[in-house]
Amino acid sequence: MKQAKRTFFSLISAVLAIFAVVGCGSGESQSPDRGTAGWANGAAGGEPIVVSLPADVTKLDPPAVSNSESLLVIRHLYDRLTEFADTQEVEVVPGLAESWDVSEDGLRYTFHLRQGVTFSDGTPLTAEAVQFSLQRIFDEDHPAFWNSVWTNDVLGDWFDRFEIADDHTIALVLSEPYVALLANLAMPCASIVNPDHVLAVGRERVVTEPLGSGPYVLDEWKTGNYLRVKARPDHWRGRPATDTIIFRTQKDMNQRMASLRKGEVHLVTTLSPGVVGDRSALENCDVVEVPMPALHYVIFNCAEEKLKDRRVRLALNYAIDRQALCDGILEGTAFPASGILPPGMLGWRDDKPLGFTYDPEKARALLEEADAVGLKLEYMCFPEARPYNTAGTKTAQRIQEDLRKVGVETELVQRDFGGMLEILSLRTEHELAGIGWMSDTGDPDNFIYVLFGTPTNRSNYVNEEANRLMALARTELDSGKRAELYHQAEDAMLLDPPCIVVNHANRLKGHSTRLKGYNPYAWSLDALWNAYLD
């Protein structure tokens, strides 16, 4: 497990070095021929790539979704101003913006859009479409606004205004420097949509009738079964390497592995060691273990009277035997979380002075001190395997047992993953809920702040001191000083926890040996436009 942490640290350290470069305001973009200038292969292949997903695709409007299955498909249907390079390294490269300039004070980013880019219906993609797409994420007065987990994430309170010079030039003007902007703009939720289409079909239909400028278009969608996309021969980067990709829902992990062995699917995004077995005995397929910047945690609804006392929330954290859980039902691919930030991410420390350990006696004492002996809570969970929790409901049952040992009774309420996300978005219908977060950018602002600092966070959590420190960190260009601010912000949260931190994890992905041009990402949003079957 120490080796897993070292591997993780090496990966994320490289990521942070990359972000430090793109966030320094040099005034120059990355070279447009790295990662996004054109496809690695020539004409599209005829045999479809079949991808096995552990949960359903739910919506296909970029700011409306937060589950990784939907975001994976969105990544292929739309383009963004910047992109993450199609490699194993997490690197920001040009996308729809072929270049950009950053002012010396870091307050103005001017993006120069590619000429001749169109949406799949032939409509030209212009600077107005960029403003429409980004503004609808955060502006409640926008006619196509979505109130979602991304509302304060892509463009936060540090954003001031848009300035459009012409159809192919748009500036984002900030009220204060923000070091992670270029990475934020590469997230799937920041995809550029066709304004005319969104307004014509309306909010309710656009989630199932996507129309983007990406390399693929939606061909057929059988909800709960499969979704098929077709390549665009007229995409600005040329035709993708494979003509058809099928995203198939297979909630049972044994079924996913069996399909991979038989050659019925070519990529499985989430596996567990138990279903894989002896990797050396695999034929016609490989399984890779990818370090993942993620956290598995149990949300507290801090607006609930039972959970307002921080001593209760501290007690629930000390009640969990994380090591036994990771070694047991999570089969050694996970390691205990003592805090919020994952290993290797800026602000993470191996020697947290306030990190949580397994201490049931301390948990009982805190509950007694808070007059919460005999506490009863509803605990929402999901059956599907997720990268950070490959055991699904079994993990919740194990946590339930640990809580019972300190006198806390929980009623498990099982929902499918998509349905649980819908309930959590309401922020009023839960007490405890097992969930996880995988970083979209590798930056702590997209982790600790998004989870527990935004006004719309699912925990209804407010920590003014932590928010003050995170606000300072977002504008700090010195990585050492920035890390110290996140140290302090996390400490403030650990004294007044917004959740039960459970584990971090490595991710197991399986793929056919016939699948070429595929690079496994550190998170689920693999880029498949260069992939093909030999």
Side-chain angles (χ1 to χ4, degrees):
M1 199 53 61
K2 290 182 179 179
Q3 179 61 42
K5 285 190 177 184
R6 285 197 293 271
T7 304
F8 197 112
F9 184 86
S10 299
L11 171 71
I12 302 301
S13 296
V15 172
L16 293 170
I18 291 165
F19 284 152
V21 172
V22 300
C24 286
S26 65
E28 297 181 0
S29 75
Q30 297 286 332
S31 169
D33 61 357
R34 295 181 65 190
T36 60
W39 310 121
N41 306 287
E47 187 175 353
I49 293 174
V50 182
V51 182
S52 175
L53 303 178
D56 294 330
V57 175
T58 57
K59 298 174 182 174
L60 292 177
D61 187 19
V65 298
S66 58
N67 71 316
S68 57
E69 290 75 23
S70 300
L71 293 171
L72 173 61
V73 177
I74 282 171
R75 190 171 188 215
H76 292 77
L77 299 179
Y78 296 87
D79 289 316
R80 291 141 293 277
L81 284 179
T82 59
E83 297 283 0
F84 293 116
D86 310 336
T87 64
Q88 292 184 7
E89 291 78 28
V90 186
E91 180 181 1
V92 176
V93 297
L96 291 172
E98 61 183 355
S99 64
W100 53 82
D101 307 306
V102 185
S103 62
E104 290 187 6
D105 60 8
L107 297 180
R108 186 183 187 88
Y109 287 70
T110 303
F111 294 91
H112 306 284
L113 306 184
R114 298 179 188 275
Q115 303 278 338
V117 176
T118 64
F119 293 102
S120 59
D121 67 348
T123 304
L125 191 152
T126 65
E128 285 79 6
V130 173
Q131 176 172 342
F132 179 96
S133 302
L134 298 180
Q135 190 164 349
R136 68 187 292 242
I137 301 173
F138 69 88
D139 185 353
E140 295 183 10
D141 296 325
H142 193 286
F145 171 70
W146 269 106
N147 185 11
S148 73
V149 67
W150 312 113
T151 297
N152 301 100
D153 188 17
V154 180
L155 298 177
D157 53 13
W158 40 265
F159 175 74
D160 184 13
R161 66 187 185 275
F162 298 99
E163 291 184 1
I164 295 177
D166 54 50
D167 280 351
H168 296 94
T169 309
I170 183 170
L172 275 62
V173 182
L174 315 185
S175 57
E176 56 189 27
Y178 179 66
V179 297
L181 176 62
L182 296 176
N184 281 12
L185 295 174
M187 294 192 293
C189 62
S191 297
I192 307 306
V193 302
N194 183 329
D196 293 340
H197 175 72
V198 171
L199 295 176
V201 303
R203 276 171 45 103
E204 300 307 315
R205 286 175 52 197
V206 74
V207 295
T208 57
E209 299 178 29
L211 196 158
S213 66
Y216 288 88
V217 296
L218 178 64
D219 181 54
E220 186 178 18
W221 187 1
K222 298 290 186 182
T223 305
N225 190 354
Y226 68 88
L227 183 149
R228 183 171 63 224
V229 298
K230 291 284 189 180
R232 280 185 64 190
D234 61 341
H235 190 261
W236 58 269
R237 282 176 284 194
R239 192 175 189 129
T242 293
D243 186 63
T244 304
I245 303 175
I246 299 170
F247 299 92
R248 186 176 300 282
T249 302
Q250 293 182 307
K251 296 184 179 181
D252 182 86
M253 199 176 307
N254 289 292
Q255 180 190 18
R256 294 202 293 277
M257 190 63 205
S259 296
L260 180 64
R261 289 177 185 274
K262 295 175 184 177
E264 297 170 347
V265 303
H266 308 107
L267 175 63
V268 181
T269 61
T270 302
L271 289 168
S272 71
V275 301
V276 173
D278 183 1
R279 296 189 209 179
S280 65
L282 293 175
E283 297 181 359
N284 305 317
C285 60
D286 290 324
V287 173
V288 294
E289 188 167 346
V290 184
M292 181 175 59
L295 174 70
H296 173 209
Y297 61 105
V298 179
I299 291 175
F300 296 139
N301 185 347
C302 297
E304 285 286 327
E305 195 63 38
K306 300 175 187 178
L307 293 165
K308 285 184 177 179
D309 192 319
R310 73 180 186 92
R311 293 170 297 184
V312 172
R313 291 179 271 122
L314 285 166
L316 300 187
N317 269 286
Y318 286 115
I320 308 305
D321 188 348
R322 297 166 179 83
Q323 190 65 61
L325 188 151
C326 291
D327 293 343
I329 60 175
L330 294 180
E331 303 179 278
T333 60
F335 41 95
S338 60
I340 298 167
L341 292 170
M345 184 172 281
L346 187 73
W348 174 78
R349 292 165 293 177
D350 195 16
D351 56 343
K352 289 182 181 66
L354 299 174
F356 292 116
T357 57
Y358 179 46
D359 193 339
E361 289 302 319
K362 188 171 186 176
R364 293 187 192 97
L366 283 165
L367 289 168
E368 185 173 353
E369 183 182 323
D371 195 24
V373 174
L375 181 65
K376 295 181 179 180
L377 295 166
E378 185 177 277
Y379 181 177
M380 190 161 48
C381 59
F382 54 84
E384 299 96 329
R386 306 298 295 168
Y388 45 80
N389 172 20
T390 55
T393 305
K394 291 180 181 178
T395 303
Q397 292 169 339
R398 176 56 194 261
I399 292 172
Q400 181 186 44
E401 291 176 11
D402 283 348
L403 293 176
R404 184 177 293 122
K405 291 175 183 177
V406 300
V408 176
E409 292 295 330
T410 56
E411 177 189 358
L412 293 186
V413 178
Q414 186 168 284
R415 311 279 187 188
D416 69 88
F417 185 70
M420 194 175 86
L421 290 180
E422 293 290 335
I423 293 172
L424 289 177
S425 69
L426 301 174
R427 302 170 57 224
T428 58
E429 304 301 315
H430 67 284
E431 292 181 338
L432 303 180
I435 194 68
W437 184 260
M438 296 176 286
S439 174
D440 300 285
T441 66
D443 190 271
D445 191 63
N446 178 252
F447 210 93
I448 192 169
Y449 174 72
V450 170
L451 290 182
F452 306 119
T454 65
T456 55
N457 74 80
R458 293 162 172 163
S459 293
N460 292 303
Y461 178 74
V462 179
N463 188 316
E464 293 182 359
E465 176 62 9
N467 286 349
R468 182 187 70 81
L469 292 162
M470 290 188 289
L472 292 173
R474 290 199 299 272
T475 67
E476 179 56 64
L477 298 179
D478 184 287
S479 60
K481 293 178 181 178
R482 194 166 181 239
E484 179 56 34
L485 288 167
Y486 282 117
H487 292 167
Q488 296 175 33
E490 185 179 43
D491 285 348
M493 289 186 180
L494 294 180
L495 288 170
D496 180 22
C499 67
I500 300 173
V501 296
V502 182
N503 63 271
H504 307 296
N506 290 333
R507 183 175 194 149
L508 288 184
K509 297 185 179 185
H511 65 89
S512 167
T513 54
R514 296 181 56 213
L515 185 64
K516 308 300 181 183
Y518 164 67
N519 288 301
Y521 270 43
W523 51 87
S524 63
L525 305 183
D526 294 307
L528 297 174
W529 39 72
N530 279 328
Y532 61 97
L533 297 172
D534 69 0

